[in-house]
């Protein structure tokens, strides 16, 4: 049922009202008696830790799930939303974190897909072209309607998703972590678009874990914890510190507390490193960098500009050409993927960017995952056989010291939250006392409380005199943790800066490949 539902006692000034929404998945209560009001023509933020129930709540509003209890009012009218088409009919659009676009279709074809006027496509395309131009002009979303999606950058693809929703006459727009893959300049442009939509009377719901963005763009914010709504406040009347405490139930240190670095000898020296992929595309184009003991070199950049390939070559998972010297000794770059074992023997530990695909075997137990890559350690072997009891004891010790919850070595990796999965990988790699730690996206999808802990562990390792190469798409994280920052674009190092002598605007220009403008 859509917005044609009969009028009741709802407040017409409210775009959305959820009353007593509950949803369970078996024994897990994802949403518990949630009530929330979102006023028309505002930007409303929703924040919470992983598993707090944010995505479930928005999936109910968009028709992916049906609530076990409660009711939804849209524009003051009770509205049944059994599926996403009913949500669209009710004036709701959603832009997902991972875009729902057909990559080999044009912008125009993606916009009208599922919203064609009858069987004849030509009139639909002509109408869509006119409306698309009008919408793009109205909201500063200049996108070529004839461009193929796979040829567009992520910022433009996101605009296509917003245009899709507006083409379907959405009055309410839900955005899930919209800035995760954007440069600072692209994020600023998105915020201008959202403010313009709000000023035109649209209602925006913004799901994000970035407190800075909440404070910058929203009019009000709701905080969820463990499936319940803990607070809804005007943004102007709160602070990042208060919101963080509401999210996790305790005070959280939002800044990284660290002393100045005391760099020592050169640990890693990379010269003219190049990587060509299976399609003969050069992914690394002559990378030069140096990392010393006792310092963190942060690599900033939009995802897909060679950072992953850099970590893979240094970690022994891919081949390359050029020169890599570890503690003054050359590393062979022509070996196979099994060379990761050699890297570990040379004192290189690696926390991969994707913990679930590359860092863990999700169906295996925690103690097995903690031993992976280090199972030949003499402590874990007894003659021809591995000592499983010793492995479990080692895992139990690491779980206690890294505050993994629940602290159960026999639990499969897939049964831990994202933050606790990350702690398992970190414990495995950091506790091996490496000379060099490669760490990719250390807090991706991680709760704010776990972020605080992970940052503390990285800084502690640096203070022990270890070298750290940090790759992150989060500029706040790069600025807070790094002692030096190198920016990558299109497989190259565009420039290097000291955190205290740069800002996000300059780094954003470098991330966009504008070296001259940032100089």
């Amino acid at each position: 049922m859509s917005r044609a539902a009969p009028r009741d006692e709802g407040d017409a000034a409210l775009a959305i009202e959820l009353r007593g929404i509950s949803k369970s998945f078996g024994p897990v209560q994802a949403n518990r008696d949630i009530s929330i009001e979102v006023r028309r023509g505002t930007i409303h933020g929703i924040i919470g830790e992983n598993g707090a129930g944010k995505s479930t709540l928005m999936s109910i509003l968009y028709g992916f799930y049906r609530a076990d209890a409660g009711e939804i009012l849209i524009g003051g009218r009770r509205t049944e939303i059994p599926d996403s088409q009913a949500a669209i009919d009710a004036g709701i659009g959603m832009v997902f974190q991972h875009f729902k676009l057909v990559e080999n279709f044009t912008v125009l074809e993606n916009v009208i897909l599922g919203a064609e006027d009858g069987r004849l496509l030509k009139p639909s395309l002509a109408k869509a072209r006119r409306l698309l131009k009008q919408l793009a002009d109205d909201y500063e979303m200049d996108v070529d309607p004839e461009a193929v999606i796979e040829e567009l950058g992520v910022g433009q693809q996101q605009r296509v998703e917003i245009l899709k929703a507006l083409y379907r006459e959405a009055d309410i727009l839900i955005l899930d972590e919209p800035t995760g893959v954007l440069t600072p300049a692209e994020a600023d442009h998105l915020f201008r678009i959202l403010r313009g939509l709000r000023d035109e009377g649209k209602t925006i719901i913004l799901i994000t874990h970035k407190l800075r963005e909440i404070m910058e763009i929203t009019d009000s914010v709701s905080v969820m914890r463990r499936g319940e709504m803990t607070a809804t406040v005007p943004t102007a009347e709160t602070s990042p510190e208060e919101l963080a405490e509401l999210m996790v139930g305790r005070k959280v240190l939002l800044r990284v507390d660290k002393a100045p670095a005391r760099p020592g000898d050169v640990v890693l020296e990379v010269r003219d490193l190049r990587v060509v992929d299976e399609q003969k595309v050069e992914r690394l184009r002559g990378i030069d960098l140096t990392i010393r003991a006792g310092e963190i070199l942060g690599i900033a950049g939009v995802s897909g500009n060679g950072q992953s390939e850099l970590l893979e070559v240094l970690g022994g998972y891919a081949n390359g050409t050029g020169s890599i010297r570890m503690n003054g000794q050359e590393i062979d770059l022509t070996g196979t993927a099994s060379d990761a074992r050699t890297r570990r023997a040379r004192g290189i530990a690696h926390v991969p960017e994707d913990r679930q695909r590359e860092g863990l075997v999700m169906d295996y137990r925690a103690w097995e995952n903690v031993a992976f890559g280090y199972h030949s350690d003499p402590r874990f072997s007894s003659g021809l056989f591995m000592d499983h009891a010793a492995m479990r004891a080692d895992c139990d010790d690491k779980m206690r010291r890294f505050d993994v919850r629940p602290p159960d070595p026999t639990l499969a990796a897939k049964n831990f939250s994202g933050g606790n999965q990350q702690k398992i990988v970190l414990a495995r790699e950091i506790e091996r006392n490496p000379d060099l730690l490669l760490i990719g996206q250390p807090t991706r999808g991680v709760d704010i409380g776990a972020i605080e802990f992970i940052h503390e562990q990285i800084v502690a390792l640096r203070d022990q005199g270890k070298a750290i190469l940090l790759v992150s798409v989060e500029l706040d994280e790069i600025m807070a943790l790094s002692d030096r920052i190198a920016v990558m674009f299109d497989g190259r190092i565009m420039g290097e800066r000291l955190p205290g002598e740069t800002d996000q605007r300059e780094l954003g220009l470098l991330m966009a490949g504008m070296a001259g403008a940032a100089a």
Side-chain angles (χ1 to χ4, degrees):
M1 189 175 4
S2 69
R3 63 182 90 183
R7 182 77 178 181
D8 75 349
E9 68 276 11
D11 184 349
L14 298 177
I16 302 166
E17 185 178 4
L18 304 180
R19 297 177 178 173
I21 298 293
S22 293
K23 178 66 179 178
S24 295
F25 298 94
V28 178
Q29 183 96 39
N31 290 157
R32 188 191 310 274
D33 193 27
I34 290 179
S35 296
I36 182 175
E37 296 179 350
V38 179
R39 299 192 69 81
R40 188 186 306 277
T42 64
I43 301 176
H44 191 102
I46 297 182
I47 59 172
E49 294 185 283
N50 296 341
K54 309 183 301 295
S55 296
T56 298
L57 188 65
M58 290 301 102
S59 294
I60 289 170
L61 182 58
Y62 196 63
F64 280 173
Y65 300 139
R66 297 200 69 167
D68 300 331
E71 59 183 5
I72 299 171
L73 283 78
I74 305 296
R77 299 173 182 266
R78 289 181 179 172
T79 306
E80 294 291 329
I81 305 181
D83 52 40
S84 57
Q85 185 57 53
I88 292 169
D89 292 341
I92 302 172
M94 188 162 181
V95 178
F96 295 88
Q97 185 175 6
H98 303 290
F99 306 143
K100 309 294 184 182
L101 298 170
V102 182
E103 292 200 348
N104 60 347
F105 278 22
T106 66
V107 169
L108 197 59
E109 291 165 342
N110 271 278
V111 166
I112 70 167
L113 189 62
E116 301 89 347
D117 294 326
R119 295 183 178 181
L120 298 177
L121 190 58
K122 191 172 182 180
S124 294
L125 289 170
K127 173 189 171 186
R129 191 175 282 107
R130 290 193 303 272
L131 286 175
L132 197 58
K133 184 179 187 310
Q134 181 181 337
L135 289 168
D137 290 344
D138 288 347
Y139 299 111
E140 296 184 62
M141 287 187 278
D142 184 29
V143 181
D144 179 4
E146 307 304 329
V148 178
I149 293 297
E150 62 188 358
E151 298 172 354
L152 298 178
V154 290
Q156 288 189 306
Q157 290 185 27
Q158 188 178 68
R159 292 173 209 170
V160 175
E161 286 280 28
I162 295 173
L163 287 168
K164 271 175 56 181
L166 296 176
Y167 181 77
R168 289 158 174 77
E169 301 182 343
D171 293 317
I172 299 164
L173 196 60
I174 305 167
L175 293 99
D176 186 9
E177 299 286 357
T179 63
V181 293
L182 303 183
T183 66
E186 288 172 329
D188 289 343
H189 187 81
L190 171 66
F191 289 167
R192 288 197 298 273
I193 291 171
L194 297 184
R195 291 188 184 102
L197 290 168
R198 176 191 60 190
D199 294 345
E200 291 290 327
K202 306 292 186 185
T203 303
I204 314 294
I205 297 179
L206 180 68
I207 305 171
T208 179
H209 69 279
K210 299 178 181 179
L211 294 176
R212 179 177 56 83
E213 293 181 356
I214 286 288
M215 300 304 297
E216 179 180 346
I217 190 68
T218 64
D219 301 299
S220 54
V221 54
S222 294
V223 184
M224 295 184 66
R225 185 168 77 236
R226 297 180 181 177
E228 298 181 345
M229 190 66 66
T230 61
T232 295
V233 295
T235 307
E237 298 178 10
T238 188
S239 67
E241 291 77 13
E242 181 182 24
L243 293 174
E245 187 172 350
L246 287 168
M247 286 168 63
V248 302
R250 62 174 176 82
K251 289 189 180 298
V252 177
L253 184 65
L254 296 180
R255 70 184 186 278
V256 176
D257 191 9
K258 65 186 178 76
R262 301 175 62 184
D265 295 337
V266 172
V267 172
L268 180 73
E269 186 177 15
V270 177
R271 293 291 176 262
D272 195 31
L273 182 61
R274 298 175 183 272
V275 169
V276 178
D277 67 14
E278 294 177 353
Q279 287 74 42
K280 308 301 181 184
V281 176
E282 194 172 26
R283 297 298 182 185
L284 294 182
R285 303 165 181 258
I287 297 295
D288 294 328
L289 58 85
T290 300
I291 311 178
R292 295 179 176 274
E295 72 168 350
I296 301 171
L297 175 64
I299 304 291
V302 177
S303 181
N305 279 279
Q307 305 98 308
S308 298
E309 288 79 5
L310 176 62
L311 288 175
E312 288 169 0
V313 174
L314 294 177
Y317 300 111
N319 298 335
T321 61
S323 171
I324 298 177
R325 296 178 69 84
M326 179 69 186
N327 290 325
Q329 296 184 340
E330 197 78 22
I331 288 180
D332 180 16
L333 297 180
T334 62
T336 64
S338 64
D339 199 42
R341 177 183 296 180
T342 304
R343 298 289 201 277
R344 287 192 290 272
R346 297 284 290 272
I348 300 176
H350 184 193
V351 177
E353 292 181 288
D354 190 331
R355 57 181 168 266
Q356 294 189 355
R357 291 173 60 89
E358 301 169 340
L360 298 164
V361 179
M362 299 303 289
D363 288 328
Y364 281 31
R365 290 164 290 189
W367 69 265
E368 294 169 314
N369 276 286
V370 166
F372 281 152
Y374 301 97
H375 45 275
S376 58
D377 188 313
R379 293 180 301 157
F380 299 154
S381 61
S382 177
L384 296 176
F385 302 99
M386 289 188 289
D387 187 342
H388 291 176
M391 290 179 177
R392 286 193 293 271
D394 177 68
C395 179
D396 183 68
D397 179 56
K398 287 180 170 58
M399 293 178 97
R400 283 190 294 101
R401 283 187 288 113
F402 277 72
D403 193 28
V404 178
R405 304 178 190 178
D408 182 356
T410 66
L411 201 62
K414 64 184 178 184
N415 292 325
F416 291 91
S417 70
N420 285 294
Q421 289 173 3
Q422 188 76 341
K423 286 180 182 180
I424 290 171
V425 179
L426 281 165
R428 180 183 68 210
E429 301 301 326
I430 288 177
E431 290 292 294
R432 296 297 167 179
N433 194 32
D435 292 328
L436 170 67
L437 176 67
L438 312 172
I439 184 164
Q441 315 304 340
T443 58
R444 174 179 281 166
V446 171
D447 303 335
I448 193 166
I451 288 173
E452 178 189 37
F453 177 86
I454 290 169
H455 285 174
E456 288 173 351
Q457 299 308 308
I458 293 171
V459 172
L461 194 67
R462 181 206 72 165
D463 291 345
Q464 294 169 23
K466 309 303 182 182
I468 298 170
L469 178 68
L470 167 73
V471 170
S472 177
V473 296
E474 302 287 352
L475 261 187
D476 287 343
E477 185 166 64
I478 288 288
M479 294 283 286
L481 284 175
S482 304
D483 300 306
R484 290 185 293 120
I485 301 171
V487 182
M488 287 190 69
F489 172 77
D490 194 27
R492 296 184 175 90
I493 300 289
M494 298 300 296
E496 188 176 298
R497 299 289 187 271
L498 296 176
E501 299 176 4
T502 188
D503 55 28
Q504 293 204 7
R505 178 186 175 278
E506 182 183 28
L507 295 178
L509 291 172
L510 289 167
M511 289 165 64
M514 301 170 67

